[in-house]
Amino acid sequence: MKERVIVVGNGMVGYKFCERLVAKDVDKKFQIVTFCEEPRPAYDRVHLSEYFSGKTAEDLSMTHFDWYEENGVELHIGEKVTQIDKAAKRVITSSGKVVEYDKLIMATGSSPFVPPVPGVEKKGVFVYRTIEDLDAMQEYAAHAKSCAVIGGGLLGLEAAKAAQDLGLRTHVVEFAPRLMPRQLDEAAGILLKDVIEERGIKVHLSKSTSNIAGEDSVKGMEFADGSELKVDMIIVSAGIRPRDELASEAGITVGPRGGIEVDSYLLTSDPNIFAIGECALYEGMIYGLVAPGYQMADAVSDLLLGKEATFTGADMSTKLKLIGTDVASFGAIEVPEGSGAREIVINDTHNKLFKKLVVSADGKKLLGGILVGDASAYGSLHQMYLNDMEIKGDPIQLILPSSDGEPVGVGVGDLPDSAQICSCEAVTKGEICSAIENGCSSVGELKSCTKAGTGCGGCVPLMTDLFKAKMRESGVEVSDRICEHFDHSRKEIYQIVRATGIQNFNELLAKHGKGMGCEICKPVAASVFASCWNVPILDKAPLQDTNDAFLANIQQDGTYSVIPRIPGGEITPDSLIVIGEVAKKYNLYMKLTGGQRIDLLGARAHQLPAIWKDLIDAGFESGHAYGKALRTVKSCVGSSWCRFGVQDSTTLAIDIEKRYRGIRSPHKLKSAVSGCVRECAEAQSKDFGIIATEKGWNLYVCGNGGIVPRHADLFATDLDRETLIKYIDRFLMYYIKTADRLERTSTWMTKLEGGLEHLQDVVIKDSLGICEELEAQMNHLVDTYECEWKNAINDPEKMKRFKHFQNSEDEDETVEFVDLRGQICPARLNESDEKESGELANA
């Protein structure tokens, strides 16, 4: 018989325990039953504020219902455990279920602390904890103009950003004399206050709320010092309280200030009951971060399987971006009393940067630190602290930039293999190195293989540095420069061309490169010239590889493809007949593609101009299947025909494809428009995809299919057509401006510092102040579009390149075809040999 393990609570830590036990229980010794009082299984509370910037409950979900079923985990949604009978080893639920257990895991988490302020029960007062809380806030905010957040800690500042994102005039009210009093000292707190107020959020410190004014609903706040603040909505984020009431009622020992007391084995006062996460009290400490909760889950899963494991406390260091500002702290933020330690501080109030280190008296050990405004050194500093590493040289160098702009400090290669790179998933440097040695060839693959970086994401920069270091050790070049002829990345080449107006490769090479150029830098330069100035690609023909040089994709037998553009997949019978007639005339192979186009294959180089003239005369234009440009915008029939369609997806897809046709980019682009959430056009697997809603359009970005598929991220919701186009314009130009050569949008997103949030800040909020520039650049490309094939067939000089022989009109007779289902197909080598042998025999 299997042992039954009941998990009370299915939040992040409760789910993580289930996941860890399922993975480790190879002999299937346990039956897991978990109760979840919320209406949905575990979701990511760490990134809860992203719900306001477009992420859905599904996007935040840590797994799906299928996972529980596939792994034999019995999940009870919307059902609360109301009683624990320790003697009978059973629990009783809100619906009256009685379930026996062998072991019980308390993962009840915490609840928001709501100060007992008069009026706190009024309409317009919210807590910031669940998706349902956020739904209620969104609904109420539609009729509000201003909001105050009670609490200036981590969650309070997250809530303030959420309120500002809802379009409300926002205030933060903090009882302490500084923001984030647990993570920052006085000077850092003052600087953070200045930064936040510069971004439009008013901060009120040393304020004790004495009353919430208003009759039935909020009208303002009254403070103990006699001052008032007029607001019509309040979010309470004043801390958390462990959910220990169930344990307390069952006679399990709880701490005097709350929390279920546990020992180093996470056992409660009952030998069959464990507690993990924010409900657990270990040596007087409640660990309110997700990483310690995951460590607890890991330890208990090992203990159940008979392995040695203990929990002896956890690192409470944090790094996050608050209202667009990096904030990080680790270890001691003040000099420990009597330690003789000293502080090293850089307080740059002009540039809004604060950096502080607490070092031992001899300057050899790092005891802690604070970073505000620039936390790029956090990864290495944190590892030095965690691994008790010796400081080499002057400690101040750890927070000063070096001459080449890189932070000075411990290198990732100096870390021991035991160094924990990812605290959320407990992944060490040694495990990441092993994964690289076993074939992981990108940071994305490392995430999939080790799960490092899939939690809060704070370890990704350090993991990236480690990956690059290991690649260099293996002799793999990881420099950002495009080739030996340019000491610049593709992004820098783009900036140089845009800033200087250079339109000629020789000039670019003479001024910013060296040597003669190569097959890498020449196509990059040609693509950049096209992206900036929209010159026809054949004007830069000597720079191109084969596909762009012939405006067609070369096939395995030396013939070429002809793929006319069919916007949105919509085509008239007459146009369809023309394509068929062209295929018959030139004996081409025809195939419908997954992108709603028609491939014509088997064209010889000398035939390409004549084929394209026939197609262009019939109204077709280049489909750019050969270029790093927009390929297709796939669509369903939408509301025009489909009974489920809510918007006209076909018309939008056609307009989108016509707008962005021919625009050259670092890699190919694919798009799709679906007319409803049934998603027949598969928009969420595209570089940018659009899905219709009752209110407008949802925009998804940075997805792709291929060898390593990536689901696109929800970028913005319920957009009108004008706003949708504006956001796509900005998104594409920012990608073109900053991506590396041959880098798809999906890979670009994984490398982009700040990820989706940064991209939303740039495109939606214009955080870099470049949106007007991006729109103007896109409009230039749209307004100057010219079909590359039409340009080519009207230029006699360009036509010369399509002759097989420069000194003869003879054609290439080496290409051979065989019949395949009534159409031509390239002859394989053995088929050519058989044909030749047969002809000799007949002779």
Side-chain angles (χ1 to χ4, degrees):
M1 294 290 292
K2 290 186 177 183
E3 291 186 58
R4 181 178 292 153
V5 177
I6 291 181
V7 184
V8 183
N10 192 246
M12 296 180 74
V13 174
Y15 162 72
K16 188 59 65 173
F17 169 79
C18 295
E19 180 188 78
R20 295 277 166 87
L21 186 56
V22 163
K24 295 174 184 179
D25 183 19
V26 293
D27 296 326
K28 306 301 179 189
K29 293 172 56 178
F30 298 101
Q31 177 197 359
I32 304 173
V33 181
T34 181
F35 292 93
C36 176
E37 65 181 275
E38 289 193 52
R40 57 178 58 83
Y43 54 90
D44 184 357
R45 293 188 201 274
V46 174
H47 297 100
L48 191 61
S49 61
E50 294 177 20
Y51 190 70
F52 289 119
S53 56
K55 279 202 172 182
T56 64
E58 183 179 356
D59 295 328
L60 291 170
S61 177
M62 296 183 70
T63 189
H64 299 285
F65 285 100
D66 291 347
W67 181 88
Y68 296 91
E69 185 175 347
E70 289 166 3
N71 290 284
V73 177
E74 188 178 319
L75 172 66
H76 296 270
I77 289 292
E79 190 157 5
K80 180 180 179 182
V81 173
T82 57
Q83 184 181 340
I84 298 171
D85 184 342
K86 293 188 302 177
K89 293 176 66 175
R90 64 182 187 175
V91 299
I92 301 169
T93 74
S94 53
S95 68
K97 284 191 179 76
V98 179
V99 186
E100 295 181 348
Y101 63 83
D102 294 291
K103 299 294 180 184
L104 182 67
I105 315 297
M106 301 291 291
T108 48
S110 64
S111 58
F113 168 64
V114 180
V117 177
V120 76
E121 74 289 345
K122 291 181 172 135
K123 291 180 183 177
V125 179
F126 300 89
V127 293
Y128 190 80
R129 184 65 178 169
T130 68
I131 286 177
E132 284 65 41
D133 294 333
L134 271 58
D135 283 335
M137 287 166 55
Q138 276 186 312
E139 183 178 354
Y140 197 88
H143 308 287
K145 293 182 179 179
S146 58
C147 176
V149 177
I150 299 178
L154 290 174
L155 286 176
L157 295 179
E158 285 278 351
K161 181 181 184 302
Q164 189 179 54
D165 288 344
L166 288 170
L168 303 174
R169 292 193 308 275
T170 304
H171 303 260
V172 172
V173 177
E174 169 58 42
F175 178 77
R178 66 176 183 266
L179 294 173
M180 295 179 65
R182 292 188 178 183
Q183 291 83 18
L184 303 182
D185 65 7
E186 184 177 356
I190 290 172
L191 184 133
L192 181 60
K193 173 181 180 290
D194 292 343
V195 171
I196 289 173
E197 290 197 323
E198 280 187 0
R199 294 179 182 177
I201 296 176
K202 180 64 177 173
V203 178
H204 308 264
L205 299 175
S206 302
K207 290 290 185 182
S208 174
T209 307
S210 58
N211 184 52
I212 295 175
E215 294 184 8
D216 295 327
S217 58
V218 173
K219 295 300 179 185
M221 301 173 68
E222 298 170 356
F223 303 114
D225 61 7
S227 59
E228 297 180 353
L229 178 63
K230 299 296 183 185
V231 292
D232 44 22
M233 179 172 164
I234 293 173
I235 301 172
V236 179
S237 186
I240 60 171
R241 291 291 181 268
R243 293 279 302 275
D244 59 9
E245 62 275 11
L246 182 63
S248 179
E249 290 168 5
I252 298 169
T253 303
V254 300
R257 298 183 62 186
I260 306 169
E261 289 191 355
V262 296
D263 61 15
S264 60
Y265 297 104
L266 285 311
L267 274 170
T268 68
S269 56
D270 185 294
N272 295 304
I273 301 176
F274 297 84
I276 57 177
E278 292 177 330
C279 67
L281 180 70
Y282 174 72
E283 294 191 346
M285 177 80 172
I286 294 289
Y287 289 87
L289 299 177
V290 69
Y294 285 179
Q295 291 175 36
M296 295 178 188
D298 205 36
V300 174
S301 62
D302 279 341
L303 288 167
L304 291 181
L305 289 162
K307 299 178 182 178
E308 288 291 326
T310 56
F311 178 82
T312 56
D315 177 42
M316 292 295 284
S317 303
T318 55
K319 175 183 178 290
L320 62 163
K321 190 176 286 287
L322 290 171
I323 316 178
T325 302
D326 282 344
V327 178
S329 68
F330 60 96
I333 63 171
E334 305 277 5
V335 171
E337 188 174 348
S339 67
R342 53 198 176 93
E343 296 180 351
I344 299 171
V345 179
I346 297 174
N347 190 359
D348 182 352
T349 56
H350 175 71
N351 292 306
K352 298 295 186 289
L353 295 174
F354 180 91
K355 299 181 181 183
K356 172 180 176 178
L357 300 181
V358 179
V359 299
S360 59
D362 61 4
K364 296 297 184 183
K365 292 296 175 70
L366 183 59
L367 306 181
I370 300 171
L371 303 169
V372 178
D374 174 19
S376 58
Y378 171 80
S380 61
L381 294 174
H382 186 217
Q383 288 297 327
M384 287 186 72
Y385 159 71
L386 287 178
N387 294 284
D388 198 31
M389 299 175 72
E390 184 174 323
I391 299 172
K392 299 175 182 177
D394 190 339
I396 196 172
Q397 294 294 325
L398 296 173
I399 50 176
L400 287 176
S402 67
S403 58
D404 60 2
E406 293 297 321
V408 176
V410 63
V412 69
D414 298 326
L415 299 176
D417 282 349
S418 59
Q420 194 173 84
I421 302 297
C422 176
S423 57
C424 290
E425 295 292 337
V427 183
T428 66
K429 174 189 172 183
E431 290 168 328
I432 291 176
C433 290
S434 177
I436 295 170
E437 290 163 3
N438 288 324
C440 285
S441 58
S442 69
V443 173
E445 289 182 18
L446 277 178
K447 287 182 177 181
S448 299
C449 178
T450 66
K451 290 195 173 181
T454 59
C456 71
C459 64
V460 172
L462 193 61
M463 186 168 63
T464 302
D465 289 343
L466 179 55
F467 171 74
K468 288 182 177 180
K470 290 297 291 182
M471 289 293 102
R472 283 192 292 268
E473 284 179 16
S474 303
V476 178
E477 177 63 49
V478 292
S479 170
D480 289 335
R481 68 177 189 169
I482 58 173
C483 69
E484 65 188 43
H485 302 108
F486 288 91
D487 291 327
H488 301 288
S489 65
R490 186 259 172 203
K491 174 183 176 180
E492 291 165 342
I493 292 291
Y494 179 94
Q495 292 170 337
I496 288 169
V497 169
R498 179 67 75 177
T500 62
I502 292 174
Q503 298 191 34
N504 179 280
F505 180 75
N506 291 334
E507 182 183 359
L508 180 66
L509 190 65
K511 292 183 176 179
H512 302 282
K514 58 190 175 184
M516 303 296 291
C518 65
E519 71 277 9
I520 295 175
C521 59
K522 287 179 178 179
V524 168
S527 174
V528 168
F529 292 147
S531 293
C532 289
W533 318 125
N534 218 16
V535 292
I537 207 70
L538 280 188
D539 286 0
K540 309 294 180 185
L543 306 178
Q544 298 300 340
D545 59 18
T546 304
N547 287 343
D548 275 324
F550 286 89
L551 302 181
N553 280 332
I554 192 168
Q555 305 301 308
Q556 63 172 339
D557 63 342
T559 61
Y560 292 85
S561 64
V562 173
I563 305 178
R565 187 173 298 285
I566 304 176
E570 184 181 83
I571 189 167
T572 65
D574 287 341
S575 295
L576 192 58
I577 288 169
V578 167
I579 292 179
E581 289 175 341
V582 167
K584 288 181 67 175
K585 180 177 179 180
Y586 297 96
N587 190 26
L588 304 176
Y589 172 88
M590 287 183 67
K591 186 184 184 301
L592 298 177
T593 74
Q596 297 178 332
R597 298 195 295 189
I598 299 174
D599 281 0
L600 303 175
L601 304 179
R604 307 184 191 202
H606 72 278
Q607 294 176 315
L608 290 172
I611 292 170
W612 273 107
K613 185 178 188 311
D614 288 351
L615 290 170
I616 288 170
D617 287 345
F620 288 100
E621 58 185 25
S622 171
H624 286 90
Y626 49 84
K628 300 299 183 278
L630 180 71
R631 296 293 177 85
T632 64
V633 181
K634 188 176 180 180
S635 76
C636 62
V637 297
S639 58
S640 299
W641 293 90
C642 180
R643 65 187 186 277
F644 300 108
V646 294
Q647 302 285 353
D648 186 355
S649 55
T650 304
T651 297
L652 181 62
I654 292 169
D655 292 345
I656 291 283
E657 186 160 348
K658 287 183 175 179
R659 180 170 181 80
Y660 302 118
R661 60 191 171 181
I663 292 174
R664 294 284 173 156
S665 58
H667 211 302
K668 63 186 175 184
L669 295 166
K670 294 184 178 181
S671 181
V673 183
S674 286
C676 73
V677 294
R678 294 166 71 89
E679 246 284 71
C680 292
E682 303 169 327
Q684 293 176 79
S685 63
K686 302 295 188 286
D687 295 281
F688 63 102
I690 303 157
I691 301 177
T693 71
E694 294 286 349
K695 299 178 182 178
W697 305 95
N698 284 354
L699 175 61
Y700 290 78
V701 298
C702 300
N704 68 258
I707 297 174
V708 184
R710 184 184 190 277
H711 199 276
D713 291 306
L714 180 62
F715 187 76
T717 60
D718 296 330
L719 302 175
D720 58 58
R721 184 187 175 96
E722 181 181 354
T723 305
L724 173 70
I725 299 297
K726 179 171 65 176
Y727 286 178
I728 298 173
D729 282 359
R730 296 173 178 179
F731 161 71
L732 290 177
M733 285 310 305
Y734 190 58
Y735 163 63
I736 291 168
K737 183 184 183 76
T738 61
D740 202 357
R741 61 179 287 270
L742 303 180
E743 187 172 64
R744 289 293 296 271
T745 58
S746 57
T747 308
W748 172 66
M749 168 69 88
T750 62
K751 295 180 180 178
L752 200 61
E753 187 174 350
L756 179 66
E757 182 177 355
H758 166 75
L759 190 57
Q760 289 169 324
D761 284 344
V762 171
V763 170
I764 299 174
K765 301 177 184 176
D766 199 13
S767 60
L768 299 181
I770 61 173
C771 283
E772 186 176 348
E773 173 189 326
L774 298 178
E775 290 173 22
Q777 290 169 358
M778 177 58 76
N779 285 329
H780 169 73
L781 297 181
V782 172
D783 293 341
T784 56
Y785 167 76
E786 182 179 9
C787 172
E788 292 176 351
W789 261 111
K790 187 173 183 179
N791 174 276
I793 63 177
N794 290 326
D795 188 336
E797 284 301 311
K798 291 176 181 175
M799 285 298 93
K800 290 179 181 178
R801 71 184 308 99
F802 296 97
K803 293 175 60 177
H804 275 294
F805 307 103
Q806 292 299 316
N807 59 351
S808 170
E809 296 298 324
D810 291 347
E811 300 173 3
D812 184 3
E813 299 299 335
T814 62
V815 176
E816 295 184 26
F817 300 111
V818 296
D819 180 81
L820 178 67
R821 295 182 292 275
Q823 296 199 85
I824 64 168
C825 179
R828 295 187 294 273
L829 182 61
N830 63 334
E831 291 172 332
S832 299
D833 291 343
E834 290 169 5
K835 180 181 177 183
E836 183 176 350
S837 298
E839 289 173 346
L840 289 172
N842 291 335

